[in-house]
Amino acid sequence: MTVTRSQVLKLYRSSLQAAQQFETYNFRKYFYRRTRDRFRASSTLTEEPAIAQAVAEARQELTVMQRQGLVNKMFSHNRVVIESDPKYASGTRRFAD
Amino acid sequence: MLTNALRTLAPRVRTAGLRTSRLLSTTTRTRYAAEPVANHNKPTEALDSNTMPIYLDAQATTPLDPRVLDAMMPYMTEEYGNPHSRTHKYGWETEHAVDTAREQVANLIGAHPKEIIFTSGATEANNTAIKGVARFYKGKKNHVITSQTEHKCVLDSCRVLQEEGIEVTYLPVDKGGRIDLDQLKREIRPTTSLVSIMAVNNEIGVVQDIKEIGRLCRERRVFFHTDAAQAAGKIPLDVNEMNIDLMSISGHKLYGPKGVGAMFVRRRPRVRLEPIMTGGGQERGLRSGTVPSPLVVGMGAAAALAQREAAYDYAHISSLACRLIDGIQSRVSHVVRNGNPNHMYPGCVNLSFSFVEGESLLMALKNVALSSGSACTSASLEPSYVLRALGAEDDMAHSSIRFGLGRFTTESEVDYVVQNVAAHVERLREMSPLWEMFQEGIDLKSIEWSQH
Ligand SMILES: Cc1ncc(COP(=O)(O)O)c(C=O)c1O
C-alpha cells in the first residue's frame, strides 16, 4: 500500500502535537526534536518499502507518545527553572522549538 | 474511550499527587531538621516547591525514558506472572518478555542472550563478577588486578577479597586518567585470575583502551571484567571484538529503571564463578531470586532504544558538550577539563575552576543539579580520590565540578548553565584573596603558609 504525501504530513502533525502533550519540559523538548529530525531524515527516502517501514515506525511511536503524554500529564507538577525565565522564552510551554 | 477515561481521572490523580508530595516534604523536612546531616551540596536557599533545577547529573542517574515506561506498564498491571512459573500462561507470557529483554541487552553488547544474567544493578554485577571469579579460582590463582579510579563497589569488592587472602594490585593512572598498558602487562602474573578495569569513568568520563586490555588479557589467559555502567548504550561495545569476559551494566544509567542491571558472563571460553546469591537457581544458578520482570523488560527496552538512538544521542550530547565547554572557556579564564581529551565520553564534562572552591560554586549554582564527583562521595568534603589518582593538586581537585549531559538535556539549558557558571565564578573569584594575589602576579607556590 502506498502512502500519500498528505497522509505523511498528517502523521507528522499528529506526532508533533503528541510530543507537545508532555508536561515535563525535557521530555516535551526531546520528543519534539526527535520527531522533527526523524521526519526530516525520512523525507529523503525514495524506495517504497523503506517509506512504508518509516511510516509504520512513526505510527508506532505516535501511539507510544500519546499514551505516555497522558501518563506524564497525570503525574507531573514540577517545572524546570528555565521555563519561567523570560531570557529563555523558548523554554516556555507554548513555544516548543 | 480510554483517552476520555484517563482525562476525567487526570485532575483527581494530580491533586492527590500534589497533596501527598506536600505531606511527604513536610515530614522529611522536620526529620532532617532534628538531625543535621552534612550535605554540602544542598543549596542554602531552596527553590519554590515545584520549581526544579536544571538536571546535569546524568552520571548519577538518568530519567526513565517514557518509551521505556511504556514497555514496562503491562508488566506492572496485567502481566504479573512469575517468569519461572512453568505451568500456566501467566508465567509463559512473562518468561517470553524476559527472554526478549535478554536478547535486547545481548544485542547492545554483541553477546549471546544466554550470556546475560540479570541483577539488581551494576553494584551487584560488579560484586558477583569480581568476588565470584576470584573465589572460584582461588585454589590455583590468587591475584586480581584493578585500577585506582574504579567505582567504590569495585574497590570495596577487592578490599573484601584482600581480607580473604587474595592479592590485589591497584594500577595507578596517568594525568589523563588512563592506565598504562605496559604496566598492566608487567603486573599480570601466572597466578592472576582477573583483571577488572572500567570502560568509562563516572567522575571524569575518561574512556580506557578496552580493546587493548582485552587483547592483552586474552593473550595471557586472564579473565577480563569491565564495569560498563557508564559506557553501555553510550559508546560502542562489543564483547567479542574487545575480548571482554565479564561486563557489568546498570539500568538506570541508560534511561531505564533503577534496581536492575545485567552481568555478561562469557560461555566460550567458559568463565566460572561462585554465586553470591543461592536459592532457586534462576539465571543459570549465578543469581537466584525471582527475576523482576517489569524492571527487566524496562532494562531491555532501554538497551534496544540506546542501540537504535546511539548515533543520534551521541551527536546531540557531543554538540552540547562543545557548547558548554566553549561557552564557559570563552567567558572564564583558568578553567581546565580533567581527563585525557582524546579519550573522553562527551556526556561527562569535569571542569576545574582555579581559585574557586567547588563546593561554594555548587552551592551558588542552586538552579543547576550538579555534583562535584560521584554521588557516593558528594556528602563529604574530601576531594575526589579519582582526581587525586590523576595527580591533580589538592586545590584543583577541590575546585572541580562534573557536568553530566544526557539525551534529554536541551541547548537552552546549556546556555543557561554557561551564563550562571560564568557569573558565579567571577563573583567567587572577586571575593578570593588568592585570585587577587594571582592577578598581581604573586606566585602562590612561593608563599609559605603558616602551619596549623
Ligand atoms: C562506574 C559505575 N559502576 C557502578 C555503579 C553502580 O550502579 P548501580 O547503581 O546500578 O548499582 C555506578 C553508578 O553509581 C557507576 O557509575
Side-chain angles (χ1 to χ4, degrees):
Chain A
M1 203 184 77
T2 54
V3 195
T4 66
R5 192 182 150 75
S6 79
Q7 278 173 317
V8 173
L9 280 175
K10 186 158 174 273
L11 182 60
Y12 185 33
R13 258 196 307 275
S14 310
S15 301
L16 289 178
Q17 240 166 29
Q20 299 280 58
Q21 293 310 304
F22 283 88
E23 287 284 315
T24 304
Y25 163 82
N26 296 85
F27 292 158
R28 189 168 69 246
K29 299 297 261 181
Y30 170 79
F31 284 109
Y32 193 91
R33 174 170 64 84
R34 188 73 195 100
T35 303
R36 187 196 56 201
D37 292 347
R38 175 193 282 273
F39 275 84
R40 274 189 194 159
S42 338
S43 69
T44 56
L45 295 175
T46 50
E47 302 290 317
E48 198 55 55
I51 296 174
Q53 198 197 329
V55 167
E57 278 172 17
R59 286 207 172 111
Q60 165 73 18
E61 193 90 342
L62 171 60
T63 62
V64 175
M65 282 196 289
Q66 284 170 332
R67 271 197 303 269
Q68 290 307 313
L70 280 171
V71 172
N72 183 261
K73 254 196 176 65
M74 284 190 274
F75 293 95
S76 141
H77 49 260
N78 288 333
R79 290 289 169 273
V80 181
V81 61
I82 74 170
E83 288 181 88
S84 53
D85 192 314
K87 266 208 305 238
Y88 297 86
S90 73
T92 56
R93 186 72 187 90
R94 291 293 149 226
F95 310 95
D97 200 14
Chain B
M1 261 293 282
L2 172 72
T3 322
N4 278 338
L6 285 175
R7 274 219 185 95
T8 43
L9 256 177
R12 235 175 298 155
V13 176
R14 275 184 79 186
T15 36
L18 271 175
R19 211 171 299 135
T20 33
S21 80
R22 235 180 253 137
L23 267 178
L24 277 176
S25 64
T26 29
T27 44
T28 36
R29 215 177 296 138
T30 38
R31 185 140 31 90
Y32 278 108
E35 164 201 340
V37 176
N39 185 351
H40 302 279
N41 283 350
K42 226 174 212 169
T44 38
E45 192 187 314
L47 296 169
D48 59 300
S49 63
N50 46 12
T51 303
M52 297 299 279
I54 289 168
Y55 191 75
L56 284 196
D57 204 6
Q59 279 70 41
T61 193
T62 52
L64 184 71
D65 191 301
R67 293 164 291 188
V68 173
L69 178 60
D70 197 66
M72 292 168 70
M73 294 282 265
Y75 300 90
M76 304 184 101
T77 48
E78 283 203 314
E79 313 266 354
Y80 52 81
N82 184 322
H84 316 295
S85 292
R86 287 284 156 79
T87 49
H88 49 70
K89 199 173 174 195
Y90 291 89
W92 302 331
E93 295 206 331
T94 314
E95 186 191 21
H96 178 70
V98 168
D99 285 345
T100 306
R102 206 183 293 286
E103 234 167 82
Q104 289 169 321
V105 173
N107 281 342
L108 179 66
I109 56 169
H112 188 277
K114 288 202 172 127
E115 295 173 315
I116 303 298
I117 307 292
F118 287 113
T119 65
S120 67
T123 299
E124 190 191 324
N126 283 333
N127 271 265
T128 312
I130 295 168
K131 293 178 187 166
V133 167
R135 285 174 183 162
F136 189 92
Y137 295 95
K138 193 179 169 184
K140 287 194 206 107
K141 297 180 162 193
N142 69 338
H143 178 230
V144 169
I145 300 176
T146 186
S147 81
Q148 290 175 356
T149 56
E150 295 294 311
H151 190 264
K152 273 269 159 70
C153 62
V154 169
L155 295 176
D156 272 5
S157 294
C158 290
R159 290 277 134 71
V160 170
L161 291 176
Q162 279 178 299
E163 280 163 24
E164 295 172 9
I166 290 166
E167 288 175 59
V168 181
T169 302
Y170 299 91
L171 290 177
V173 294
D174 60 21
K175 270 187 157 15
R178 296 181 109 208
I179 62 157
D180 176 4
L181 291 168
D182 288 328
Q183 188 172 9
L184 171 62
K185 207 183 281 178
R186 284 195 303 273
E187 295 290 350
I188 295 180
R189 316 172 188 169
T191 54
T192 306
S193 60
L194 182 76
V195 169
S196 177
I197 304 287
M198 73 201 318
V200 173
N201 183 274
N202 52 309
E203 284 193 34
I204 48 177
V206 70
V207 185
Q208 299 288 351
D209 194 345
I210 293 301
K211 194 171 172 178
E212 270 307 296
I213 299 171
R215 200 181 55 75
L216 211 87
C217 291
R218 184 58 56 88
E219 231 175 62
R220 305 287 294 268
R221 296 174 162 273
V222 176
F223 289 132
F224 174 38
H225 166 256
T226 186
D227 175 358
Q230 300 289 349
K234 315 258 166 83
I235 60 167
L237 289 174
D238 186 303
V239 291
N240 294 319
E241 195 188 303
M242 298 174 163
N243 289 311
I244 296 166
D245 297 306
L246 300 112
M247 185 194 283
S248 306
I249 310 178
S250 175
H252 70 103
K253 313 275 183 188
L254 68 154
Y255 312 96
K258 292 167 184 62
V260 66
M263 173 172 68
F264 156 78
V265 182
R266 181 174 288 288
R267 289 197 308 167
R268 263 183 290 263
R270 180 132 179 246
V271 181
R272 318 220 16 211
L273 40 100
E274 201 173 277
I276 293 178
M277 293 287 175
T278 50
Q282 291 92 345
E283 300 296 278
R284 284 166 56 198
L286 295 177
R287 206 278 186 177
S288 285
T290 301
V291 168
S293 39
L295 298 181
V296 161
V297 166
M299 167 115 200
L305 208 51
Q307 196 175 359
R308 193 188 82 185
E309 301 289 323
Y312 187 75
D313 282 352
Y314 195 88
H316 175 66
I317 291 169
S318 302
S319 101
L320 291 185
C322 285
R323 201 179 176 93
L324 178 77
I325 298 166
D326 293 350
I328 291 178
Q329 287 186 334
S330 69
R331 285 168 181 78
V332 185
S333 63
H334 300 90
V335 183
V336 293
R337 182 175 186 188
N338 294 303
N340 184 328
N342 302 322
H343 303 280
M344 297 294 268
Y345 166 62
C348 182
V349 179
N350 192 308
L351 300 178
S352 284
F353 299 86
S354 304
F355 311 104
V356 173
E357 234 224 312
E359 299 291 330
S360 316
L361 187 52
L362 277 183
M363 275 193 271
L365 291 167
K366 59 179 191 301
N367 288 348
V368 191
L370 288 164
S371 154
S372 56
S374 67
C376 51
T377 50
S378 57
S380 72
L381 272 178
E382 278 285 295
S384 133
Y385 66 88
V386 173
L387 287 172
R388 294 274 283 266
L390 258 64
E393 310 245 342
D394 254 14
D395 54 340
M396 285 309 264
H398 266 304
S399 66
S400 82
I401 287 193
R402 178 183 71 185
F403 299 85
L405 308 162
R407 178 183 288 166
F408 298 106
T409 311
T410 69
E411 270 184 13
S412 317
E413 286 179 311
V414 169
D415 294 346
Y416 182 98
V417 171
V418 166
Q419 287 288 340
N420 272 261
V421 167
H424 285 294
V425 168
E426 197 175 322
R427 188 179 57 82
L428 289 168
R429 279 183 180 164
E430 262 160 30
M431 300 190 313
S432 157
L434 294 179
W435 175 246
E436 201 176 314
M437 286 198 268
F438 172 77
Q439 297 285 77
E440 285 163 6
I442 300 171
D443 179 9
L444 293 172
K445 294 222 168 61
S446 71
I447 300 172
E448 297 227 1
W449 303 97
S450 65
Q451 298 285 313
H452 55 83

